[in-house]
Amino acid sequence: MHVPDGFLDAPTSVVTGAVAAAGVGLALRGARRELDDRTAPLAGLVAAFVFATQMLNFPVASGTSGHLMGGAIAAVLVGPWTGVLCTSVVFLVQCLLFADGGVTALGTNIVLMGLTTVLVGWLVFRGLQAVLPRRPSLVPVAAGIGAFVSVPAAALLFVVLYAVGGAAPVPLDNLTTAMVGVHLLIGIGEGVITFLAVGSIVAVRPDLCYGARRVLAARELEIRPAATGASA
Amino acid sequence: MSTTQSSSDRRTGRRPSTRAVAVGILLVSVVLAGIVSFYAASSPDGLTKVSQDEGFADTEKEHRTGDGPFAGYGTEGVDDERLSGGLAGVVGVVVVLVLGAGVAYAVRRRPGRDSPDRG
């Protein structure tokens, strides 16, 4: 969903640029709480993984494809503030090095595919964690559902931005239906990829998954004397 | 947070080290960007398709960095399509990794004592 130069007018792009800058600025402060010597390299790796996976467009409908946005995956693996930094780095590199996403639209793309997917993905994830049993196996499920919801949410925000500062007059109901419709399908891919990626980390080292720490902390309180044989 | 860390470290006796997990994520990323990306769908993505269908695709302006050496996920001067895209993908993974880890290191907490996990 990389927005190119020209889709949104200059004032709208200035506003989204300011919002993106403010979001990244807040994230630089907030990420301090999430990052230490052990998790800092993981943040770089998660950013690299999101970049790599964004290259993998998958077909969603006739003549249409989609790819991962990655906000939910990054938020659950390394924390929401760090997730904002990871996705922002990806969009910056894509814009400057690969001409993917407009230069004046960089703020827009960070707001839509970074801030929005991190925020929505993380809130849905945490909401599900609050109601679901605290089991490590449910962490990737909640992450996948958060990821699924985050994509149409980003598409909806694009429609709002387009209504404010779109370059061409387009019937908004048509635009809404088209954008949300196709991004519901892309969201399924986002959810599946997020489920698999988070599931892989939780399976081998749940302590390295930021979103699993609460679950692990809860489990610590239930440790009983070891029975014979393995029980995991 | 600190209690989970100490107890999970005890539990990690037979689990892969942090370094092994890191190498795993890097390898997967390099393979995805360097090799698998060649097989990605080439049809327009959701927004591009909608812009064509709704009639505002022509408002797109030419990209200002569109003549860079890796523009469009290809490598300038490399004719082989598979190699050109794969090289660009690996370059992207490395650049994003260095930038991302650099930012993360810059803002991280710096504890007075050493972290218990040096894996």
Side-chain angles (χ1 to χ4, degrees):
Chain A
M1 201 172 78
H2 290 69
V3 179
D5 289 319
F7 275 16
L8 297 174
D9 62 19
T12 312
S13 300
V14 169
V15 171
T16 55
V19 172
V24 171
L26 284 174
L28 285 169
R29 293 181 59 183
R32 180 172 295 274
R33 273 176 275 141
E34 298 165 353
L35 291 167
D36 53 28
D37 282 337
R38 193 176 67 140
T39 51
L42 286 175
L45 288 161
V46 166
F49 176 77
V50 168
F51 170 83
T53 313
Q54 286 206 2
M55 288 183 73
L56 309 179
N57 280 60
F58 47 85
V60 288
S62 58
T64 314
S65 70
H67 63 67
L68 184 87
M69 295 188 186
I73 226 172
V76 172
L77 285 179
V78 289
W81 293 118
T82 309
V84 168
L85 299 181
C86 289
T87 49
S88 298
V89 164
V90 169
F91 300 126
L92 178 72
V93 171
Q94 286 173 333
C95 171
L96 297 182
L97 202 54
F98 298 100
D100 190 12
V103 176
T104 60
L106 178 60
T108 303
N109 283 319
I110 288 177
V111 168
L112 290 175
M113 292 186 289
L115 300 180
T116 304
T117 62
V118 165
L119 186 69
V120 173
W122 180 251
L123 289 180
V124 171
F125 172 77
R126 292 289 298 124
L128 287 170
Q129 270 198 327
V131 296
L132 289 171
R134 292 194 160 185
R135 273 191 236 127
S137 59
L138 290 175
V139 170
V141 175
I145 295 171
F148 164 69
V149 176
S150 72
V151 176
L156 203 56
L157 184 58
F158 172 81
V159 175
V160 172
L161 293 178
Y162 204 85
V164 174
V170 172
L172 284 180
D173 48 347
N174 289 7
L175 184 63
T176 310
T177 311
M179 279 300 283
V180 173
V182 70
H183 285 95
L184 276 171
L185 296 175
I186 296 172
I188 296 173
E190 178 101 13
V192 170
I193 294 169
T194 303
F195 171 81
L196 292 174
V198 172
S200 305
I201 298 294
V202 168
V204 295
R205 283 289 300 275
D207 58 305
L208 291 180
C209 173
Y210 183 86
R213 287 182 190 173
R214 251 170 239 266
V215 178
L216 294 177
R219 205 170 60 167
E220 289 310 316
L221 302 172
E222 296 167 21
I223 283 185
R224 293 158 207 154
T228 50
S231 62
Chain B
M1 291 290 163
S2 58
T3 53
T4 51
Q5 184 162 327
S6 60
S7 52
S8 57
D9 284 343
R10 246 182 283 126
R11 244 202 331 267
T12 53
R14 276 187 291 166
R15 292 186 181 280
S17 67
T18 305
R19 176 167 297 182
V21 173
V23 170
I25 299 175
L26 181 61
L27 279 179
V28 168
S29 303
V30 167
V31 168
L32 292 179
I35 298 168
V36 182
S37 62
F38 181 75
Y39 303 95
S42 54
S43 45
D45 79 350
L47 175 63
T48 309
K49 185 67 162 57
V50 168
S51 74
Q52 293 165 357
D53 293 348
E54 302 298 318
F56 64 94
D58 58 348
T59 58
E60 175 173 348
K61 291 186 183 137
E62 203 175 325
H63 202 286
R64 291 172 194 204
T65 60
D67 51 1
F70 299 105
Y73 299 94
T75 308
E76 198 175 56
V78 178
D79 290 333
D80 183 80
E81 213 177 309
R82 191 184 288 265
L83 194 60
S84 173
L87 271 176
V90 173
V91 166
V93 164
V94 172
V95 171
V96 169
L97 171 64
V98 169
L99 263 181
V103 171
Y105 265 110
V107 304
R108 81 192 190 282
R109 288 190 309 273
R110 267 153 263 207
R113 284 166 290 182
D114 280 351
S115 166
D117 183 355
R118 287 153 59 193

